[in-house]
Amino acid sequence: MSTLKKLNFITGNKNKLAEVRAILGSVVDVENQVIDVPEIQGSIEDIAKEKCRRAADAIKGPVLTEDTALEFHVLKGLPGPYIKQFLDALGHEGLNKMLDSFEDRTAEAVCTFAFCRGPGSEPILFQGRTEGAIVRPRGPANFGWDPIFEYQGTTYAEMDREKKNEISHRYKALVKLQNWLSETQV
């Protein structure tokens, strides 16, 4: 059984915080800190590890960080870990227009959680992936790219929170983290 009683989840996104608490709350107390951690360019895994290292150094203790990517198959994984910047610059319609000249609109939502025991420790990654497709926006536009990511006929934005928390990329990564916390002396 884990001896870790509290995790400092480094995020300024209240929706992500709510999802993490809903899924991990029975295993560990999830507290929140907002720290501005510069993000490097690189693979999803490289970005997640470096962000976690920097956050652990900043708070001088154990941290959990999260990075989300949206990979368009026809674009060989782009926008990937840069989805936030693409979404900010292009919006939901602009992301759709990127795919309009292609038949393939399949995509993969990727969530990578990184846990670090503290400064100097190597981050451990927990990744979840969900296959879907990019569609015209449907549902509330209050959580990133949820209105354009469709899973089995429904966009993430159209799903109620409980349904999304049972199938999402974030859920899959958190289950891996939850299992690790339950089996590991942290």
Side-chain angles (χ1 to χ4, degrees):
M1 193 65 173
S2 172
T3 57
L4 186 69
K5 304 281 186 234
K6 175 180 79 164
L7 267 179
N8 290 303
F9 182 38
I10 309 302
T11 187
N13 186 317
K14 63 181 172 50
N15 292 313
K16 286 182 184 180
L17 178 61
E19 283 187 9
V20 170
R21 283 182 170 155
I23 296 166
L24 282 185
S26 64
V27 175
V28 66
D29 181 32
V30 179
E31 296 198 357
N32 174 240
Q33 291 192 37
V34 179
I35 298 172
D36 188 23
V37 181
E39 292 190 21
I40 65 165
Q41 291 187 14
S43 71
I44 297 168
E45 295 79 10
D46 291 342
I47 293 167
K49 284 183 178 182
E50 185 61 21
K51 181 178 179 179
C52 193
R53 278 189 201 100
R54 291 180 184 205
D57 288 346
I59 73 159
K60 312 249 184 285
V63 296
L64 179 67
T65 59
E66 186 259 6
D67 284 278
T68 300
L70 187 59
E71 299 176 339
F72 297 173
H73 292 160
V74 73
L75 298 180
K76 301 190 184 332
L78 283 174
Y82 310 109
I83 184 59
K84 184 178 187 298
Q85 291 80 13
F86 275 65
L87 180 59
D88 289 346
L90 303 173
H92 294 133
E93 276 303 320
L95 289 170
N96 264 278
K97 286 179 183 174
M98 288 174 58
L99 298 177
D100 281 350
S101 63
F102 300 100
E103 286 184 33
D104 182 1
R105 297 183 74 84
T106 60
E108 194 166 18
V110 184
C111 178
T112 306
F113 279 93
F115 170 77
C116 186
R117 287 176 165 79
S121 293
E122 182 64 17
I124 301 164
L125 300 182
F126 306 89
Q127 194 170 81
R129 293 174 170 268
T130 299
E131 293 280 338
I134 302 304
V135 297
R136 291 295 188 254
R138 297 193 319 256
N142 58 359
F143 195 3
W145 41 264
D146 280 9
I148 65 166
F149 186 75
E150 182 182 73
Y151 174 78
Q152 296 184 347
T154 306
T155 67
Y156 273 2
E158 293 172 311
M159 292 179 189
D160 63 42
R161 187 179 309 190
E162 291 76 25
K163 172 69 176 167
K164 183 182 172 193
N165 284 350
E166 292 173 359
I167 57 91
S168 76
H169 56 301
R170 186 168 293 111
Y171 167 77
K172 292 172 183 176
L174 284 171
V175 165
K176 291 176 183 178
L177 172 61
Q178 188 175 37
N179 291 338
W180 181 81
L181 286 171
S182 296
E183 298 167 0
T184 307
Q185 293 291 322
V186 181

